[in-house]
Amino acid sequence: MRARIRKLRAELAARELEAYVAIQNARYLSGTSAVTATIISEQEPILICKRLEFDRARRESAFRDIRAYFPYEVPLRRGERVKFCELWQVLADCLRELGARRIGFDGMSSEFLRKLRGAYEADYQELPELVVNMRKIKSKQEIAWLRRSAALAMEGMQRAAELIEEGRSELEVAAEVEYIMRKQGSGGTPFSTIVASGRNSWLPHATATRKRFRRGELIIVDLGATYEGYASDMTKTFSIGPTRRQLKLMNAAKRAQSAAIDRIRDGVSAADVDRAARKVVCRAGLEKFFSHGTGHGLGLAIHEPPNLVPGSSDLLQRGMVVTVEPGVYAPGVGGARWEDIVLVTKDGHELLTQ
Ligand SMILES: [Mn+2]
């Protein structure tokens, strides 16, 4: 956490900014999800949270300057200090106290910014990339947590593999995999577990329904766990008595994934990795069924930069953690997708799921 603050301060100094207000990235900077906003400057970093989160923020964050606010007046416990106001008013008070004139921030609605500016006039600059770029490269600790999270996802997937059989429902499988991941230490699923069979399998964002598996169906299982807030994301495609056309889809998605993973190493462009997957799908004559990007970064958020998509200007660097998940979705036939989590290393890559 200290290293993050130090890096951000260097970015601020380079841009002659006197303070940075983080809302989207407040958790990343402060180490707790109890946070609403943080203000980083040359002075003591400030954590702003709602009154009800104050005790948790104090327990979980290394920040010492913690300010609680609450939108309406309520009786307080002895010794409690709370400002009864809206978030923009606390921010304005803190920025005034810091005497900051040039202020960076990572994302506010125009309405919110208008109110903040009304309460404290300064030069505000929207610069989310200052923190977003830092977040792309994971620290040793973050990699360790992502590894644990990935291991939990693998346990879930193993359970799914045991349960795929005719007559079982999508929801039954989703419930069982979530149960086992939770029991093994998952903080919860970063997205609703996908178990999509038959006609649901060609909808890339199906969830899980009461539908039961039947012969001749493809079944996509896409699941994730969290560990210390860090998300995992993994997909496999199962089949019950697949047809030749279904096998072709599964094969193409699998080979596209391998081709993309093979490309991953320090210095390779994210667009190149996407292109490698697309080439395989194209050769199989299935390009019109590949309806999304090849992968995405993950960390505290399930989807974060870098994105492995056409036209991406990102270069993969050691310490980045990305998913690789090409998929093909042929209405009337089925959908197939494989997704694994890949750590970019100096000489290549390491799979965190398998
Ligand atoms: Mn994914």
Side-chain angles (χ1 to χ4, degrees):
M1 231 54 70
R2 232 169 261 287
R4 295 173 192 178
I5 307 288
R6 203 180 322 117
K7 272 188 211 156
L8 181 54
R9 280 184 175 143
E11 296 284 348
L12 298 183
R15 286 170 180 76
E16 294 179 347
L17 295 169
E18 290 154 337
Y20 190 86
V21 178
I23 296 176
Q24 269 79 24
N25 295 291
R27 178 179 187 178
Y28 177 77
L29 293 170
S30 67
T32 176
S33 62
V35 69
T36 307
T38 60
I39 302 178
I40 309 300
S41 67
E42 275 308 315
Q43 297 170 56
E44 186 72 29
I46 301 173
L47 187 159
I48 297 163
C49 65
K50 289 225 171 113
R51 179 211 177 194
L52 68 161
E53 302 290 9
F54 182 84
D55 292 333
R56 193 161 66 90
R58 199 167 47 178
R59 189 184 299 178
E60 294 178 357
S61 177
F63 282 29
R64 281 172 298 177
D65 189 348
I66 302 179
R67 319 272 179 108
Y69 74 102
F70 208 57
Y72 46 88
E73 279 197 45
V74 288
L76 296 176
R77 300 181 324 222
R78 188 152 27 128
E80 235 187 329
R81 281 179 49 199
V82 176
K83 272 186 182 157
F84 295 113
C85 63
E86 298 291 334
L87 176 61
W88 53 272
Q89 291 168 306
V90 198
L91 287 172
D93 290 348
C94 292
L95 291 167
R96 185 176 300 113
E97 202 179 300
L98 292 169
R101 303 305 316 160
R102 286 167 53 88
I103 300 161
F105 65 94
D106 67 353
M108 301 173 188
S109 70
S110 49
E111 170 74 357
F112 187 92
L113 184 58
R114 196 180 53 75
K115 285 179 179 162
L116 176 58
R117 204 192 291 276
Y120 181 70
E121 179 57 43
D123 172 14
Y124 292 95
Q125 301 180 23
E126 183 162 7
L127 294 163
E129 64 274 18
L130 294 199
V131 189
V132 168
N133 285 335
M134 281 166 52
R135 280 179 67 157
K136 290 179 192 169
I137 311 277
K138 269 61 186 182
S139 68
K140 276 210 177 82
Q141 175 71 86
E142 289 179 292
I143 291 168
W145 286 339
L146 283 163
R147 212 181 275 285
R148 289 291 299 271
S149 183
L152 290 167
M154 284 192 283
E155 298 231 24
M157 195 56 84
Q158 194 167 351
R159 186 79 187 112
E162 291 164 11
L163 292 172
I164 300 291
E165 62 180 20
E166 235 182 305
R168 186 111 50 199
S169 79
E170 294 174 352
L171 275 169
E172 253 180 279
V173 174
E176 289 285 339
V177 307
E178 287 184 9
Y179 175 71
I180 191 130
M181 290 190 294
R182 197 81 163 117
K183 222 166 126 178
Q184 301 294 329
S186 171
T189 58
F191 56 90
S192 197
T193 302
I194 298 174
V195 180
S197 63
R199 63 196 297 273
N200 296 334
S201 69
W202 59 77
L203 310 175
H205 280 158
T207 53
T209 69
R210 290 187 302 271
K211 182 188 167 306
R212 293 183 182 281
F213 308 146
R214 290 199 307 247
R215 275 197 82 70
E217 286 185 339
L218 295 185
I219 301 148
I220 293 180
V221 179
D222 185 346
L223 54 81
T226 50
Y227 191 81
E228 293 290 334
Y230 283 77
S232 52
D233 193 1
M234 179 182 193
T235 307
K236 281 192 190 303
T237 304
F238 300 91
S239 60
I240 305 175
T243 64
R244 233 188 59 233
R245 289 171 78 198
Q246 288 172 336
L247 286 174
K248 187 185 166 187
L249 291 176
M250 290 174 79
N251 241 307
K254 183 80 195 151
R255 279 185 297 114
Q257 196 212 19
S258 306
I261 291 174
D262 283 347
R263 291 287 294 147
I264 294 183
R265 56 179 299 135
D266 187 88
V268 162
S269 88
D272 261 12
V273 177
D274 176 79
R275 202 173 304 119
R278 241 160 256 283
K279 213 161 108 184
V280 174
V281 175
C282 199
R283 277 214 205 102
L286 298 168
E287 67 274 23
K288 57 181 175 295
F289 298 131
F290 184 2
S291 47
H292 52 71
T294 294
H296 53 87
L298 86 174
L300 281 174
I302 183 68
H303 295 120
E304 54 181 63
N307 284 312
L308 311 183
V309 294
S312 164
S313 55
D314 270 311
L315 288 185
L316 296 186
Q317 279 174 268
R318 91 195 257 199
M320 288 183 173
V321 175
V322 296
T323 69
V324 179
E325 53 167 323
V328 282
Y329 311 92
V333 183
R337 175 168 77 249
W338 264 272
E339 174 175 37
D340 284 292
I341 302 169
V342 184
L343 166 67
V344 184
T345 61
K346 188 165 164 290
D347 314 300
H349 57 262
E350 184 194 333
L351 284 166
L352 301 190
T353 53
Q354 253 164 28

